Amino acid sequence: FSEEMTKMTQNKVSKKNYKNYHRAIVWDRKLCDEMQEKYSIPKGNKTKTFKLTEKILTCDEKSLAEVVSGFFDSDGCVVLQSGGISLTTANPDVAKKMPLILQRFGISSSLYTAKKDGKGNPGPYFLVSVYGKDNLEKFRAKIGFKHPEKAKKLDSVIEKSKNSLDLFPNISKIIKQSR
């Protein structure tokens, strides 16, 4: 993406590669304005304010899969102990809409809230979790990870999974409340 942006401007585009994601910093006000208008991408830090717009939510399945894959590549993880994947976000809009987006791909998920993220940073944070071999296989086939380590871990989790179906998402939460 940053290579495409470099072709679109004469100005500087800085690229930073982090362990779980990549960041492009665009030094072109006109290009930023065009991106904001065309893709509804706000300027500045958008961690908590970014909205999954109607344009994103109604786009074709391939494009939507790319968006979801980007979220899981940057803010997601494969949980080896419990055999699932999860996305952690501080953005309530993303948290509310991601389970619905995953359902569009036939993937059941659960939404939880946490007071801290995995690094101990104060929240609130939201976790979107996917469990069950069938859901994980659908995620791999229809969305997948671009991050090679996460893709390899997902393969491992699926391989070790029994033919478990997550027929009742959030059932443990319901059982705990009834006790």
Side-chain angles (χ1 to χ4, degrees):
F1 184 70
S2 59
E3 284 80 19
E4 290 178 39
M5 290 177 24
T6 303
K7 294 175 189 174
M8 298 166 67
T9 181
Q10 300 294 316
N11 296 333
K12 182 178 175 183
V13 175
S14 301
K15 296 177 267 185
K16 289 188 176 188
N17 296 320
Y18 297 92
K19 185 177 179 183
N20 295 330
Y21 65 96
H22 306 284
R23 175 177 283 163
I25 302 169
V26 182
W27 300 92
D28 184 330
R29 185 178 303 271
K30 186 177 177 190
L31 180 58
C32 286
D33 290 343
E34 288 175 22
M35 289 178 65
Q36 185 175 16
E37 185 177 321
K38 186 173 182 179
Y39 300 107
S40 301
I41 298 173
K43 297 175 190 172
N45 186 337
K46 39 199 136 313
T47 302
K48 294 181 182 178
T49 60
F50 177 77
K51 301 280 187 217
L52 288 169
T53 63
E54 187 174 334
K55 190 180 281 190
I56 294 170
L57 297 173
T58 58
C59 68
D60 63 276
E61 214 167 87
K62 183 180 179 201
S63 299
L64 188 59
E66 291 288 327
V67 170
V68 174
S69 179
F71 274 104
F72 275 85
D73 277 335
S74 62
D75 294 331
C77 67
V78 179
V79 187
L80 297 172
Q81 301 89 324
S82 57
I85 59 175
S86 67
L87 169 71
T88 303
T89 181
N91 187 312
D93 185 69
V94 171
K96 273 194 325 193
K97 293 177 182 171
M98 190 59 68
L100 300 172
I101 293 170
L102 290 170
Q103 194 61 54
R104 184 168 157 189
F105 293 94
I107 300 167
S108 296
S109 62
S110 303
L111 177 61
Y112 304 97
T113 58
K115 292 180 181 176
K116 296 180 179 181
D117 69 359
K119 298 175 186 169
N121 298 318
Y125 286 93
F126 307 93
L127 283 81
V128 178
S129 300
V130 177
Y131 292 100
K133 187 173 185 174
D134 60 327
N135 288 318
L136 296 171
E137 286 175 335
K138 288 176 192 175
F139 181 90
R140 179 175 62 186
K142 296 179 179 183
I143 298 168
F145 284 109
K146 305 286 185 289
H147 191 286
E149 288 177 38
K150 291 180 183 182
K152 189 175 177 181
K153 285 181 181 179
L154 177 60
D155 289 341
S156 175
V157 164
I158 291 171
E159 188 178 303
K160 291 176 185 175
S161 292
K162 307 232 182 321
N163 286 330
S164 60
L165 297 174
D166 192 7
L167 297 175
F168 303 103
N170 285 325
I171 192 69
S172 63
K173 190 177 184 179
I174 294 167
I175 292 170
K176 282 180 187 176
Q177 288 175 347
S178 68
R179 287 184 183 168

